[in-house]
mmCIF file of all heavy atoms in Angstrom:
data_model
loop_
_atom_site.group_PDB
_atom_site.id
_atom_site.type_symbol
_atom_site.label_atom_id
_atom_site.label_comp_id
_atom_site.label_asym_id
_atom_site.label_seq_id
_atom_site.Cartn_x
_atom_site.Cartn_y
_atom_site.Cartn_z
ATOM 1 N N GLY A 273 41.475 124.222 150.414
ATOM 2 C CA GLY A 273 40.774 123.325 149.515
ATOM 3 C C GLY A 273 40.455 123.919 148.165
ATOM 4 O O GLY A 273 40.306 123.177 147.186
ATOM 5 N N VAL A 274 40.367 125.235 148.072
ATOM 6 C CA VAL A 274 39.967 125.867 146.814
ATOM 7 C C VAL A 274 40.982 125.600 145.700
ATOM 8 O O VAL A 274 40.605 125.434 144.533
ATOM 9 C CB VAL A 274 39.748 127.379 147.008
ATOM 10 C CG1 VAL A 274 39.586 128.106 145.673
ATOM 11 C CG2 VAL A 274 38.519 127.619 147.877
ATOM 12 N N ASP A 275 42.259 125.536 146.049
ATOM 13 C CA ASP A 275 43.289 125.323 145.020
ATOM 14 C C ASP A 275 43.981 123.968 145.158
ATOM 15 O O ASP A 275 45.106 123.786 144.712
ATOM 16 C CB ASP A 275 44.328 126.441 145.055
ATOM 17 C CG ASP A 275 45.142 126.460 146.353
ATOM 18 O OD1 ASP A 275 44.792 125.713 147.291
ATOM 19 O OD2 ASP A 275 46.131 127.218 146.422
ATOM 20 N N PHE A 276 43.285 122.972 145.706
ATOM 21 C CA PHE A 276 43.923 121.705 146.030
ATOM 22 C C PHE A 276 43.873 120.690 144.895
ATOM 23 O O PHE A 276 43.630 119.507 145.122
ATOM 24 C CB PHE A 276 43.293 121.105 147.293
ATOM 25 C CG PHE A 276 43.817 121.690 148.578
ATOM 26 C CD1 PHE A 276 44.622 122.813 148.584
ATOM 27 C CD2 PHE A 276 43.485 121.122 149.798
ATOM 28 C CE1 PHE A 276 45.095 123.368 149.767
ATOM 29 C CE2 PHE A 276 43.957 121.661 150.989
ATOM 30 C CZ PHE A 276 44.756 122.785 150.976
ATOM 31 N N SER A 277 44.124 121.107 143.675
ATOM 32 C CA SER A 277 44.255 120.135 142.582
ATOM 33 C C SER A 277 44.837 120.812 141.345
ATOM 34 O O SER A 277 45.331 121.937 141.400
ATOM 35 C CB SER A 277 42.916 119.469 142.262
ATOM 36 O OG SER A 277 43.132 118.317 141.459
ATOM 37 N N ASP A 278 44.746 120.116 140.222
ATOM 38 C CA ASP A 278 45.450 120.530 139.007
ATOM 39 C C ASP A 278 44.942 121.832 138.401
ATOM 40 O O ASP A 278 45.679 122.486 137.653
ATOM 41 C CB ASP A 278 45.339 119.417 137.960
ATOM 42 C CG ASP A 278 46.100 118.167 138.359
ATOM 43 O OD1 ASP A 278 47.330 118.237 138.466
ATOM 44 O OD2 ASP A 278 45.463 117.118 138.571
ATOM 45 N N HIS A 279 43.721 122.227 138.693
ATOM 46 C CA HIS A 279 43.183 123.449 138.105
ATOM 47 C C HIS A 279 43.988 124.681 138.466
ATOM 48 O O HIS A 279 44.030 125.654 137.719
ATOM 49 C CB HIS A 279 41.723 123.633 138.515
ATOM 50 C CG HIS A 279 41.508 123.695 139.996
ATOM 51 N ND1 HIS A 279 41.915 122.698 140.860
ATOM 52 C CD2 HIS A 279 40.927 124.635 140.793
ATOM 53 C CE1 HIS A 279 41.599 123.026 142.095
ATOM 54 N NE2 HIS A 279 40.998 124.198 142.079
ATOM 55 N N LEU A 280 44.670 124.636 139.618
ATOM 56 C CA LEU A 280 45.410 125.817 140.083
ATOM 57 C C LEU A 280 46.492 126.249 139.102
ATOM 58 O O LEU A 280 46.835 127.435 139.019
ATOM 59 C CB LEU A 280 46.025 125.571 141.451
ATOM 60 C CG LEU A 280 47.234 124.639 141.581
ATOM 61 C CD1 LEU A 280 48.556 125.397 141.496
ATOM 62 C CD2 LEU A 280 47.197 123.851 142.874
ATOM 63 N N ASN A 281 47.046 125.295 138.348
ATOM 64 C CA ASN A 281 48.148 125.627 137.445
ATOM 65 C C ASN A 281 47.715 126.422 136.225
ATOM 66 O O ASN A 281 48.551 127.042 135.555
ATOM 67 C CB ASN A 281 48.859 124.347 137.011
ATOM 68 C CG ASN A 281 49.648 123.742 138.149
ATOM 69 O OD1 ASN A 281 50.451 124.409 138.783
ATOM 70 N ND2 ASN A 281 49.407 122.468 138.420
ATOM 71 N N TYR A 282 46.426 126.450 135.931
ATOM 72 C CA TYR A 282 45.924 127.202 134.782
ATOM 73 C C TYR A 282 45.656 128.655 135.151
ATOM 74 O O TYR A 282 45.664 129.531 134.279
ATOM 75 C CB TYR A 282 44.677 126.507 134.217
ATOM 76 C CG TYR A 282 45.022 125.130 133.677
ATOM 77 C CD1 TYR A 282 45.131 124.043 134.552
ATOM 78 C CD2 TYR A 282 45.316 124.934 132.341
ATOM 79 C CE1 TYR A 282 45.502 122.790 134.086
ATOM 80 C CE2 TYR A 282 45.686 123.687 131.864
ATOM 81 C CZ TYR A 282 45.782 122.621 132.747
ATOM 82 O OH TYR A 282 46.169 121.389 132.285
ATOM 83 N N TRP A 283 45.456 128.901 136.430
ATOM 84 C CA TRP A 283 45.192 130.271 136.871
ATOM 85 C C TRP A 283 46.375 131.199 136.611
ATOM 86 O O TRP A 283 46.186 132.377 136.324
ATOM 87 C CB TRP A 283 44.850 130.294 138.358
ATOM 88 C CG TRP A 283 43.569 129.612 138.713
ATOM 89 C CD1 TRP A 283 42.522 129.325 137.877
ATOM 90 C CD2 TRP A 283 43.198 129.145 140.006
ATOM 91 N NE1 TRP A 283 41.527 128.697 138.577
ATOM 92 C CE2 TRP A 283 41.907 128.567 139.878
ATOM 93 C CE3 TRP A 283 43.814 129.138 141.259
ATOM 94 C CZ2 TRP A 283 41.231 128.009 140.962
ATOM 95 C CZ3 TRP A 283 43.144 128.584 142.334
ATOM 96 C CH2 TRP A 283 41.868 128.021 142.189
ATOM 97 N N ARG A 284 47.582 130.666 136.730
ATOM 98 C CA ARG A 284 48.766 131.541 136.572
ATOM 99 C C ARG A 284 48.870 132.108 135.163
ATOM 100 O O ARG A 284 49.568 133.106 134.930
ATOM 101 C CB ARG A 284 50.042 130.793 136.946
ATOM 102 C CG ARG A 284 50.468 129.731 135.954
ATOM 103 C CD ARG A 284 51.849 129.175 136.264
ATOM 104 N NE ARG A 284 51.836 128.292 137.419
ATOM 105 C CZ ARG A 284 52.931 127.654 137.854
ATOM 106 N NH1 ARG A 284 54.104 127.845 137.253
ATOM 107 N NH2 ARG A 284 52.859 126.843 138.882
ATOM 108 N N TYR A 285 48.188 131.465 134.195
ATOM 109 C CA TYR A 285 48.188 131.954 132.811
ATOM 110 C C TYR A 285 46.855 132.623 132.464
ATOM 111 O O TYR A 285 46.538 132.820 131.289
ATOM 112 C CB TYR A 285 48.476 130.798 131.853
ATOM 113 C CG TYR A 285 49.776 130.102 132.167
ATOM 114 C CD1 TYR A 285 49.783 128.844 132.769
ATOM 115 C CD2 TYR A 285 51.003 130.720 131.922
ATOM 116 C CE1 TYR A 285 50.969 128.204 133.083
ATOM 117 C CE2 TYR A 285 52.205 130.091 132.240
ATOM 118 C CZ TYR A 285 52.178 128.839 132.829
ATOM 119 O OH TYR A 285 53.372 128.219 133.155
ATOM 120 N N ASN A 286 46.102 132.946 133.507
ATOM 121 C CA ASN A 286 44.809 133.604 133.354
ATOM 122 C C ASN A 286 43.809 132.774 132.558
ATOM 123 O O ASN A 286 42.912 133.323 131.897
ATOM 124 C CB ASN A 286 44.982 134.986 132.702
ATOM 125 C CG ASN A 286 45.753 135.945 133.591
ATOM 126 O OD1 ASN A 286 45.527 136.015 134.790
ATOM 127 N ND2 ASN A 286 46.685 136.675 132.993
ATOM 128 N N TYR A 287 43.963 131.456 132.635
ATOM 129 C CA TYR A 287 42.981 130.563 132.050
ATOM 130 C C TYR A 287 41.886 130.279 133.083
ATOM 131 O O TYR A 287 42.193 129.991 134.249
ATOM 132 C CB TYR A 287 43.622 129.234 131.652
ATOM 133 C CG TYR A 287 44.514 129.276 130.427
ATOM 134 C CD1 TYR A 287 45.678 128.513 130.384
ATOM 135 C CD2 TYR A 287 44.179 130.024 129.305
ATOM 136 C CE1 TYR A 287 46.496 128.504 129.262
ATOM 137 C CE2 TYR A 287 44.996 130.030 128.177
ATOM 138 C CZ TYR A 287 46.149 129.269 128.157
ATOM 139 O OH TYR A 287 46.955 129.266 127.042
ATOM 140 N N PRO A 288 40.620 130.342 132.691
ATOM 141 C CA PRO A 288 39.558 129.985 133.639
ATOM 142 C C PRO A 288 39.603 128.489 133.935
ATOM 143 O O PRO A 288 39.688 127.669 133.018
ATOM 144 C CB PRO A 288 38.279 130.377 132.893
ATOM 145 C CG PRO A 288 38.647 130.381 131.447
ATOM 146 C CD PRO A 288 40.094 130.760 131.382
ATOM 147 N N ALA A 289 39.538 128.130 135.210
ATOM 148 C CA ALA A 289 39.647 126.722 135.590
ATOM 149 C C ALA A 289 38.908 126.489 136.894
ATOM 150 O O ALA A 289 38.998 127.288 137.823
ATOM 151 C CB ALA A 289 41.112 126.319 135.732
ATOM 152 N N VAL A 290 38.190 125.365 136.960
ATOM 153 C CA VAL A 290 37.439 125.012 138.158
ATOM 154 C C VAL A 290 37.651 123.534 138.483
ATOM 155 O O VAL A 290 38.116 122.758 137.656
ATOM 156 C CB VAL A 290 35.929 125.286 137.988
ATOM 157 C CG1 VAL A 290 35.670 126.755 137.722
ATOM 158 C CG2 VAL A 290 35.324 124.413 136.884
ATOM 159 N N MET A 291 37.279 123.174 139.700
ATOM 160 C CA MET A 291 37.410 121.799 140.173
ATOM 161 C C MET A 291 36.047 121.206 140.473
ATOM 162 O O MET A 291 35.212 121.845 141.108
ATOM 163 C CB MET A 291 38.284 121.783 141.439
ATOM 164 C CG MET A 291 38.375 120.452 142.145
ATOM 165 S SD MET A 291 39.550 120.448 143.542
ATOM 166 C CE MET A 291 38.898 121.774 144.569
ATOM 167 N N ILE A 292 35.847 119.964 140.015
ATOM 168 C CA ILE A 292 34.663 119.184 140.361
ATOM 169 C C ILE A 292 35.111 118.169 141.416
ATOM 170 O O ILE A 292 35.981 117.338 141.145
ATOM 171 C CB ILE A 292 34.090 118.441 139.140
ATOM 172 C CG1 ILE A 292 33.855 119.402 137.968
ATOM 173 C CG2 ILE A 292 32.805 117.704 139.519
ATOM 174 C CD1 ILE A 292 32.867 120.492 138.226
ATOM 175 N N THR A 293 34.534 118.230 142.614
ATOM 176 C CA THR A 293 35.070 117.416 143.704
ATOM 177 C C THR A 293 34.002 117.069 144.737
ATOM 178 O O THR A 293 33.025 117.811 144.908
ATOM 179 C CB THR A 293 36.221 118.158 144.410
ATOM 180 O OG1 THR A 293 36.750 117.352 145.461
ATOM 181 C CG2 THR A 293 35.770 119.488 144.976
ATOM 182 N N ASN A 294 34.228 115.949 145.418
ATOM 183 C CA ASN A 294 33.366 115.610 146.556
ATOM 184 C C ASN A 294 33.894 116.227 147.852
ATOM 185 O O ASN A 294 33.422 115.886 148.931
ATOM 186 C CB ASN A 294 33.200 114.093 146.689
ATOM 187 C CG ASN A 294 34.520 113.354 146.897
ATOM 188 O OD1 ASN A 294 35.525 113.930 147.308
ATOM 189 N ND2 ASN A 294 34.512 112.065 146.607
#
Side-chain angles (χ1 to χ4, degrees):
V274 169
D275 65 351
F276 279 10
S277 195
D278 293 296
H279 58 304
L280 73 92
N281 289 308
Y282 296 81
W283 294 340
R284 72 171 74 178
Y285 303 106
N286 294 317
Y287 287 142
V290 299
M291 173 174 57
I292 307 298
T293 181
N294 60 20

